[in-house]
Amino acid sequence: MNLKITLATGLLALATVACSAETSVKQATNTPHKSAAKVGAPVTVELVSSGQTSKNAKLPLMLLFKTDQPNVPLHVEYRTDAGLSLITVGNAALVSNQDGVVTDTPNVRAAEDGVYQLNVFVTIGDRTRAVSIPVTVGNAKPVLKSAGKAIQTPKGENLTILPAQETSR
C-alpha cells in the first residue's frame, strides 16, 4: 500500500513540476494561454432502453438528454462504428422541456453479432459533447475497457496507472 501512495505522490509531483514549467515558459514568452479543448456542452446522454436484437434486425435506442436549463435547443449528430449502420436520419434538432430533458430514439442495425458503439455528438450553442453508447447485438459479451495501464510491482502488488486530466483555472 505504501508503494502505491509513494508512486501516486511521485506522479503528482512530476505533473506539478511539468505544469509549473509550462506556465513559466508561457509567462516568459508573454503569450496568452488558450486551452486546446473547449469545455463540452452542458448535457448528459443516457441510454434509457434498447431491445434484445439479433443480426440484421432493427434496434431502437431510446436516449435521454439532460441539460441544466429549460427549453434549450440541441443539435444531435449520430455516427456509428464499422459493422453498425444507422437506419434513421443521422441528425436531430431537439429542444429540452421545462425540466431540461428531451428524448430521441435512433434506430440501428448490425450485420453480425458483436458489441458496437453509437457515437452521439450534442451541440448547444458553440459547445459540443461527444458520448459513445455501447450497442450489444446478439449474444456478444460487452468488453470493459480499462481507463489506465495495469502493472505489477516487484513485490507483486497490482497497480493501475490512470491518465491525468488537465483542468484550467
Side-chain angles (χ1 to χ4, degrees):
M1 185 67 176
N2 287 337
L3 181 60
K4 289 180 185 178
I5 294 172
T6 303
L7 285 173
T9 305
L11 288 172
L12 183 59
L14 184 60
T16 303
V17 168
C19 289
S20 296
E22 179 183 354
T23 303
S24 298
V25 168
K26 287 185 181 192
Q27 288 174 349
T29 59
N30 205 16
T31 305
H33 180 280
K34 289 194 177 187
S35 177
K38 291 183 179 180
V39 175
V43 63
T44 59
V45 182
E46 299 173 19
L47 177 63
V48 177
S49 70
S50 65
Q52 185 69 6
T53 191
S54 59
K55 60 184 178 180
N56 293 320
K58 179 173 88 169
L59 175 61
L61 302 172
M62 184 177 199
L63 302 176
L64 179 73
F65 299 87
K66 293 182 184 178
T67 67
D68 57 354
Q69 298 175 354
N71 306 317
V72 174
L74 292 85
H75 173 73
V76 181
E77 181 180 350
Y78 300 109
R79 297 183 201 162
T80 58
D81 283 347
L84 186 69
S85 58
L86 195 59
I87 298 171
T88 53
V89 177
N91 294 311
L94 308 172
V95 177
S96 65
N97 64 15
Q98 290 295 334
D99 297 324
V101 176
V102 65
T103 61
D104 193 28
T105 308
N107 293 301
V108 296
R109 177 178 290 140
E112 298 294 327
D113 289 355
V115 179
Y116 303 97
Q117 298 291 325
L118 173 66
N119 300 306
V120 182
F121 299 88
V122 185
T123 302
I124 297 176
D126 64 345
R127 295 168 35 185
T128 300
R129 178 168 308 269
V131 178
S132 292
I133 304 292
V135 178
T136 304
V137 176
N139 295 322
K141 301 285 185 225
V143 178
L144 297 177
K145 293 182 180 177
S146 174
K149 179 181 176 185
I151 63 168
Q152 193 170 42
T153 66
K155 291 185 178 181
E157 296 174 302
N158 293 322
L159 295 177
T160 302
I161 298 177
L162 299 174
Q165 183 176 4
E166 180 182 347
T167 58
S168 59
R169 296 180 189 201

PDB file of all heavy atoms in Angstrom, residues 17-36:
ATOM      1  N   VAL A  17       5.389  19.728 -11.432  1.00  0.00           N
ATOM      2  CA  VAL A  17       6.600  20.362 -11.960  1.00  0.00           C
ATOM      3  C   VAL A  17       6.434  20.663 -13.447  1.00  0.00           C
ATOM      4  O   VAL A  17       6.785  21.739 -13.929  1.00  0.00           O
ATOM      5  CB  VAL A  17       7.838  19.459 -11.705  1.00  0.00           C
ATOM      6  CG1 VAL A  17       9.043  19.945 -12.479  1.00  0.00           C
ATOM      7  CG2 VAL A  17       8.143  19.406 -10.221  1.00  0.00           C
ATOM      8  N   ALA A  18       5.869  19.711 -14.185  1.00  0.00           N
ATOM      9  CA  ALA A  18       5.667  19.912 -15.621  1.00  0.00           C
ATOM     10  C   ALA A  18       4.719  21.075 -15.887  1.00  0.00           C
ATOM     11  O   ALA A  18       4.957  21.893 -16.786  1.00  0.00           O
ATOM     12  CB  ALA A  18       5.133  18.634 -16.263  1.00  0.00           C
ATOM     13  N   CYS A  19       3.634  21.165 -15.107  1.00  0.00           N
ATOM     14  CA  CYS A  19       2.687  22.269 -15.288  1.00  0.00           C
ATOM     15  C   CYS A  19       3.317  23.601 -14.922  1.00  0.00           C
ATOM     16  O   CYS A  19       3.092  24.608 -15.587  1.00  0.00           O
ATOM     17  CB  CYS A  19       1.425  22.039 -14.450  1.00  0.00           C
ATOM     18  SG  CYS A  19       0.388  20.723 -15.086  1.00  0.00           S
ATOM     19  N   SER A  20       4.133  23.617 -13.855  1.00  0.00           N
ATOM     20  CA  SER A  20       4.804  24.849 -13.455  1.00  0.00           C
ATOM     21  C   SER A  20       5.776  25.305 -14.529  1.00  0.00           C
ATOM     22  O   SER A  20       5.872  26.489 -14.840  1.00  0.00           O
ATOM     23  CB  SER A  20       5.558  24.650 -12.137  1.00  0.00           C
ATOM     24  OG  SER A  20       4.651  24.373 -11.100  1.00  0.00           O
ATOM     25  N   ALA A  21       6.498  24.359 -15.105  1.00  0.00           N
ATOM     26  CA  ALA A  21       7.452  24.699 -16.167  1.00  0.00           C
ATOM     27  C   ALA A  21       6.724  25.248 -17.384  1.00  0.00           C
ATOM     28  O   ALA A  21       7.158  26.229 -17.988  1.00  0.00           O
ATOM     29  CB  ALA A  21       8.272  23.463 -16.555  1.00  0.00           C
ATOM     30  N   GLU A  22       5.589  24.654 -17.733  1.00  0.00           N
ATOM     31  CA  GLU A  22       4.821  25.129 -18.879  1.00  0.00           C
ATOM     32  C   GLU A  22       4.316  26.543 -18.625  1.00  0.00           C
ATOM     33  O   GLU A  22       4.386  27.411 -19.490  1.00  0.00           O
ATOM     34  CB  GLU A  22       3.637  24.190 -19.145  1.00  0.00           C
ATOM     35  CG  GLU A  22       2.787  24.629 -20.311  1.00  0.00           C
ATOM     36  CD  GLU A  22       1.574  23.730 -20.513  1.00  0.00           C
ATOM     37  OE1 GLU A  22       1.451  22.718 -19.825  1.00  0.00           O
ATOM     38  OE2 GLU A  22       0.753  24.090 -21.365  1.00  0.00           O
ATOM     39  N   THR A  23       3.822  26.804 -17.396  1.00  0.00           N
ATOM     40  CA  THR A  23       3.330  28.131 -17.053  1.00  0.00           C
ATOM     41  C   THR A  23       4.460  29.152 -17.101  1.00  0.00           C
ATOM     42  O   THR A  23       4.290  30.254 -17.610  1.00  0.00           O
ATOM     43  CB  THR A  23       2.681  28.110 -15.653  1.00  0.00           C
ATOM     44  OG1 THR A  23       1.641  27.139 -15.661  1.00  0.00           O
ATOM     45  CG2 THR A  23       2.122  29.467 -15.285  1.00  0.00           C
ATOM     46  N   SER A  24       5.638  28.775 -16.585  1.00  0.00           N
ATOM     47  CA  SER A  24       6.781  29.699 -16.592  1.00  0.00           C
ATOM     48  C   SER A  24       7.178  30.056 -18.011  1.00  0.00           C
ATOM     49  O   SER A  24       7.463  31.211 -18.312  1.00  0.00           O
ATOM     50  CB  SER A  24       7.975  29.065 -15.868  1.00  0.00           C
ATOM     51  OG  SER A  24       7.651  28.824 -14.525  1.00  0.00           O
ATOM     52  N   VAL A  25       7.216  29.089 -18.904  1.00  0.00           N
ATOM     53  CA  VAL A  25       7.587  29.349 -20.297  1.00  0.00           C
ATOM     54  C   VAL A  25       6.555  30.274 -20.938  1.00  0.00           C
ATOM     55  O   VAL A  25       6.904  31.221 -21.635  1.00  0.00           O
ATOM     56  CB  VAL A  25       7.714  28.025 -21.081  1.00  0.00           C
ATOM     57  CG1 VAL A  25       7.807  28.284 -22.569  1.00  0.00           C
ATOM     58  CG2 VAL A  25       8.915  27.245 -20.591  1.00  0.00           C
ATOM     59  N   LYS A  26       5.276  30.032 -20.684  1.00  0.00           N
ATOM     60  CA  LYS A  26       4.243  30.868 -21.288  1.00  0.00           C
ATOM     61  C   LYS A  26       4.308  32.298 -20.762  1.00  0.00           C
ATOM     62  O   LYS A  26       4.089  33.238 -21.497  1.00  0.00           O
ATOM     63  CB  LYS A  26       2.861  30.255 -21.046  1.00  0.00           C
ATOM     64  CG  LYS A  26       2.654  29.036 -21.903  1.00  0.00           C
ATOM     65  CD  LYS A  26       1.280  28.486 -21.769  1.00  0.00           C
ATOM     66  CE  LYS A  26       1.217  27.253 -22.654  1.00  0.00           C
ATOM     67  NZ  LYS A  26      -0.037  26.748 -22.865  1.00  0.00           N
ATOM     68  N   GLN A  27       4.593  32.441 -19.453  1.00  0.00           N
ATOM     69  CA  GLN A  27       4.699  33.788 -18.900  1.00  0.00           C
ATOM     70  C   GLN A  27       5.937  34.497 -19.457  1.00  0.00           C
ATOM     71  O   GLN A  27       5.903  35.680 -19.728  1.00  0.00           O
ATOM     72  CB  GLN A  27       4.761  33.729 -17.375  1.00  0.00           C
ATOM     73  CG  GLN A  27       3.428  33.363 -16.755  1.00  0.00           C
ATOM     74  CD  GLN A  27       3.523  33.153 -15.255  1.00  0.00           C
ATOM     75  OE1 GLN A  27       4.599  33.083 -14.675  1.00  0.00           O
ATOM     76  NE2 GLN A  27       2.364  33.049 -14.611  1.00  0.00           N
ATOM     77  N   ALA A  28       7.012  33.749 -19.640  1.00  0.00           N
ATOM     78  CA  ALA A  28       8.243  34.349 -20.138  1.00  0.00           C
ATOM     79  C   ALA A  28       8.090  34.824 -21.580  1.00  0.00           C
ATOM     80  O   ALA A  28       8.640  35.835 -21.970  1.00  0.00           O
ATOM     81  CB  ALA A  28       9.395  33.344 -20.040  1.00  0.00           C
ATOM     82  N   THR A  29       7.334  34.086 -22.375  1.00  0.00           N
ATOM     83  CA  THR A  29       7.139  34.488 -23.762  1.00  0.00           C
ATOM     84  C   THR A  29       5.988  35.480 -23.912  1.00  0.00           C
ATOM     85  O   THR A  29       5.728  35.961 -24.995  1.00  0.00           O
ATOM     86  CB  THR A  29       6.851  33.258 -24.643  1.00  0.00           C
ATOM     87  OG1 THR A  29       5.681  32.605 -24.150  1.00  0.00           O
ATOM     88  CG2 THR A  29       8.022  32.294 -24.645  1.00  0.00           C
ATOM     89  N   ASN A  30       5.297  35.754 -22.817  1.00  0.00           N
ATOM     90  CA  ASN A  30       4.201  36.709 -22.803  1.00  0.00           C
ATOM     91  C   ASN A  30       3.088  36.338 -23.789  1.00  0.00           C
ATOM     92  O   ASN A  30       2.441  37.190 -24.360  1.00  0.00           O
ATOM     93  CB  ASN A  30       4.714  38.130 -23.076  1.00  0.00           C
ATOM     94  CG  ASN A  30       3.781  39.172 -22.489  1.00  0.00           C
ATOM     95  OD1 ASN A  30       2.935  38.861 -21.652  1.00  0.00           O
ATOM     96  ND2 ASN A  30       3.940  40.407 -22.931  1.00  0.00           N
ATOM     97  N   THR A  31       2.910  35.032 -23.995  1.00  0.00           N
ATOM     98  CA  THR A  31       1.857  34.540 -24.879  1.00  0.00           C
ATOM     99  C   THR A  31       0.636  34.207 -24.035  1.00  0.00           C
ATOM    100  O   THR A  31       0.761  33.502 -23.043  1.00  0.00           O
ATOM    101  CB  THR A  31       2.314  33.257 -25.614  1.00  0.00           C
ATOM    102  OG1 THR A  31       3.524  33.557 -26.284  1.00  0.00           O
ATOM    103  CG2 THR A  31       1.270  32.770 -26.573  1.00  0.00           C
ATOM    104  N   PRO A  32      -0.535  34.703 -24.410  1.00  0.00           N
ATOM    105  CA  PRO A  32      -1.715  34.372 -23.624  1.00  0.00           C
ATOM    106  C   PRO A  32      -2.009  32.879 -23.706  1.00  0.00           C
ATOM    107  O   PRO A  32      -1.821  32.253 -24.729  1.00  0.00           O
ATOM    108  CB  PRO A  32      -2.837  35.183 -24.269  1.00  0.00           C
ATOM    109  CG  PRO A  32      -2.333  35.567 -25.614  1.00  0.00           C
ATOM    110  CD  PRO A  32      -0.850  35.557 -25.542  1.00  0.00           C
ATOM    111  N   HIS A  33      -2.479  32.303 -22.581  1.00  0.00           N
ATOM    112  CA  HIS A  33      -2.784  30.872 -22.515  1.00  0.00           C
ATOM    113  C   HIS A  33      -4.185  30.631 -23.057  1.00  0.00           C
ATOM    114  O   HIS A  33      -5.148  31.223 -22.613  1.00  0.00           O
ATOM    115  CB  HIS A  33      -2.689  30.402 -21.054  1.00  0.00           C
ATOM    116  CG  HIS A  33      -2.984  28.950 -20.895  1.00  0.00           C
ATOM    117  ND1 HIS A  33      -4.255  28.455 -20.867  1.00  0.00           N
ATOM    118  CD2 HIS A  33      -2.159  27.892 -20.762  1.00  0.00           C
ATOM    119  CE1 HIS A  33      -4.216  27.156 -20.720  1.00  0.00           C
ATOM    120  NE2 HIS A  33      -2.950  26.794 -20.647  1.00  0.00           N
ATOM    121  N   LYS A  34      -4.279  29.733 -24.039  1.00  0.00           N
ATOM    122  CA  LYS A  34      -5.566  29.305 -24.548  1.00  0.00           C
ATOM    123  C   LYS A  34      -5.596  27.799 -24.505  1.00  0.00           C
ATOM    124  O   LYS A  34      -4.696  27.145 -25.010  1.00  0.00           O
ATOM    125  CB  LYS A  34      -5.786  29.790 -25.983  1.00  0.00           C
ATOM    126  CG  LYS A  34      -6.013  31.271 -26.073  1.00  0.00           C
ATOM    127  CD  LYS A  34      -6.542  31.632 -27.416  1.00  0.00           C
ATOM    128  CE  LYS A  34      -6.837  33.127 -27.448  1.00  0.00           C
ATOM    129  NZ  LYS A  34      -7.486  33.538 -28.648  1.00  0.00           N
ATOM    130  N   SER A  35      -6.624  27.260 -23.896  1.00  0.00           N
ATOM    131  CA  SER A  35      -6.754  25.813 -23.809  1.00  0.00           C
ATOM    132  C   SER A  35      -7.045  25.242 -25.187  1.00  0.00           C
ATOM    133  O   SER A  35      -7.800  25.816 -25.968  1.00  0.00           O
ATOM    134  CB  SER A  35      -7.906  25.467 -22.850  1.00  0.00           C
ATOM    135  OG  SER A  35      -8.083  24.078 -22.810  1.00  0.00           O
ATOM    136  N   ALA A  36      -6.453  24.096 -25.490  1.00  0.00           N
ATOM    137  CA  ALA A  36      -6.655  23.464 -26.794  1.00  0.00           C
ATOM    138  C   ALA A  36      -8.067  22.905 -26.922  1.00  0.00           C
ATOM    139  O   ALA A  36      -8.588  22.782 -28.015  1.00  0.00           O
ATOM    140  CB  ALA A  36      -5.644  22.350 -26.986  1.00  0.00           C
TER     141      ALA A  36
END
